[in-house]
Amino acid sequence: MKILLTGGAGYIGTHTCIELLNAGYDVVVADNFCNSQPESCKRAMEITCKQFPVYELDIRDQAKLEALFEKEKPEAAIHFAGLKAVGESVFKPLEYYENNIDATFVLLRVMEKFGAKKLVFSSSATVYGEQEVMPLVETMKCTGCTNPYGWTKYMIEQILRDYGKAHPDWSIVLLRYFNPVGAHESGMVGENPNGIPNNLMPRVTQAALGKIEKLGVFGDDYPTPDGTCLRDYIHVVDLAKGHVCAIRYAAENDGCDVFNLGTGVGYSVLAIINTFERVNNVKVPHEIAPRRPGDAAMAYSNPEKAARVLHWKAEKNLEDMCRDSWNWQQKNPNGY
């Protein structure tokens, strides 16, 4: 089976390319490189010793996407493409709604035209909004996202559910990611944020490397064991393998379904820092800062449905996440 990866040159997309190729699938990547680099695909080819086509295009350009389908004839798609910075989305809401939702409309139209009826969507745990009960489970009512980025994921999920109802011969899988961290064990591909990173682990690695002076820990008075926010972190390679399981499931089942991809374990900010320092024998300069508005005290998944239905379970632990993140950062201090 040949699979189109929209946004396939990004952090999660590149790792998924590698795991799909290792599992025997053919892949084709479409990416406009607005927040990724062509080099990541070259390195994925080096790691797997396999070649795959890479198209520089914005999937909102329907004519170009149709030309790709005409030539490559993918049978399925994994839809990663989209703007993804939570903070930026607050200041550029129209850009986020327009980009992320329009891209999905165009992809669906083109897939329908060419008879490719298997789709895996890159969603997010942000769709849960603020919940009072943990762990987060797929049957919960999503009570309201806290930013435009999260709302785009929520809206696209609803669009895909409605589309799946109207087209029962389609297979659509919605994957709600928790917090991807880590890198490929080779150190050749990893997270490569533009500018100042938004996510915790790249800030940890850049503080350890001296690229930023200190890591700010936002709040130490939350109702958690050490007072810092607690999140479900998942190794990006485990996450990528979850997509392989999702494609396999989509190939055998029609309808629309949703799955958490997480470990089911919550790690605090200080636990991440302490583990990173211990595993890598390096200091992470940090200081306690005021709470950030909108940060929940804790959020972690119940991943039992993915284990039961997709036969997927996260295998790597926090030490692996910290070790592989530092290996990537040391080997690539300036990214790709």
Side-chain angles (χ1 to χ4, degrees), residues 176-252:
R176 292 176 178 169
Y177 308 162
F178 280 72
N179 295 269
V181 296
H184 192 268
E185 63 182 6
S186 66
M188 291 177 64
V189 296
E191 191 166 7
N192 185 43
N194 291 335
I196 299 172
N198 294 295
N199 299 327
L200 175 62
M201 190 62 83
R203 296 206 313 272
V204 169
T205 61
Q206 290 192 13
L209 197 66
K211 293 192 75 172
I212 59 176
E213 184 180 352
K214 284 183 181 178
L215 169 69
V217 177
F218 300 109
D220 64 349
D221 57 350
Y222 287 95
T224 60
D226 62 19
T228 62
C229 289
L230 186 148
R231 297 288 184 271
D232 188 337
Y233 293 91
I234 176 173
H235 197 292
V236 67
V237 172
D238 280 333
L239 184 61
K241 290 178 178 177
H243 291 76
V244 177
C245 294
I247 279 290
R248 192 176 295 129
Y249 176 81
E252 299 170 355

Side-chain angles (χ1 to χ4, degrees), residues 1 15 22 28 43-44 66 73 94 108 111 159 169 172 217 275 324:
M1 181 189 291
H15 286 86
N22 287 342
V28 53
R43 294 192 186 186
E66 287 185 2
K73 298 177 171 55
L94 186 61
L108 286 171
M111 290 180 70
I159 290 165
D169 57 335
I172 300 172
V217 177
T275 303
D324 291 341

Side-chain angles (χ1 to χ4, degrees), residues 74-319:
E75 302 160 73
I78 302 179
H79 184 25
F80 296 107
L83 300 176
K84 61 181 183 177
V86 170
E88 182 183 62
S89 77
V90 175
F91 300 102
K92 298 181 177 180
L94 186 61
E95 188 175 337
Y96 270 69
Y97 286 116
E98 182 178 42
N99 183 90
N100 293 2
I101 295 173
D102 282 0
T104 306
F105 288 153
V106 174
L107 178 62
L108 286 171
R109 291 190 196 106
V110 175
M111 290 180 70
E112 178 68 27
K113 179 176 180 177
F114 286 88
K117 300 180 179 182
K118 304 180 191 310
L119 175 64
V120 175
F121 174 57
S122 167
S123 191
S124 167
T126 57
V127 301
Y128 286 110
E130 296 182 2
Q131 301 280 352
E132 294 182 0
V133 178
M134 293 292 149
L136 299 170
V137 63
E138 294 90 345
T139 52
M140 283 178 168
K141 183 177 180 182
C142 296
T143 56
C145 303
T146 57
N147 55 77
Y149 163 78
W151 278 117
T152 67
K153 294 296 187 182
Y154 178 91
M155 291 174 180
I156 293 169
E157 279 198 10
Q158 188 60 50
I159 290 165
L160 293 176
R161 281 195 189 88
D162 291 340
Y163 195 85
K165 249 181 222 179
H167 299 80
D169 57 335
W170 275 60
S171 179
I172 300 172
V173 180
L174 313 175
L175 298 180
R176 292 176 178 169
Y177 308 162
F178 280 72
N179 295 269
V181 296
H184 192 268
E185 63 182 6
S186 66
M188 291 177 64
V189 296
E191 191 166 7
N192 185 43
N194 291 335
I196 299 172
N198 294 295
N199 299 327
L200 175 62
M201 190 62 83
R203 296 206 313 272
V204 169
T205 61
Q206 290 192 13
L209 197 66
K211 293 192 75 172
I212 59 176
E213 184 180 352
K214 284 183 181 178
L215 169 69
V217 177
F218 300 109
D220 64 349
D221 57 350
Y222 287 95
T224 60
D226 62 19
T228 62
C229 289
L230 186 148
R231 297 288 184 271
D232 188 337
Y233 293 91
I234 176 173
H235 197 292
V236 67
V237 172
D238 280 333
L239 184 61
K241 290 178 178 177
H243 291 76
V244 177
C245 294
I247 279 290
R248 192 176 295 129
Y249 176 81
E252 299 170 355
N253 299 272
D254 293 336
C256 182
D257 212 343
V258 57
F259 300 92
N260 286 337
L261 292 187
T263 64
V265 179
Y267 300 106
S268 72
V269 176
L270 289 180
I272 296 281
I273 294 170
N274 293 337
T275 303
F276 189 94
E277 290 183 331
R278 175 174 55 81
V279 166
N280 298 309
N281 194 29
V282 63
K283 295 301 292 180
V284 178
H286 60 279
E287 62 183 358
I288 304 300
R291 289 188 182 193
R292 288 186 303 192
D295 276 351
M298 62 180 68
Y300 58 94
S301 70
N302 178 334
E304 292 176 2
K305 183 179 177 184
R308 185 179 70 253
V309 179
L310 298 182
H311 309 294
W312 171 88
K313 186 178 181 181
E315 297 174 349
K316 295 180 181 290
N317 60 27
L318 182 57
E319 292 186 352

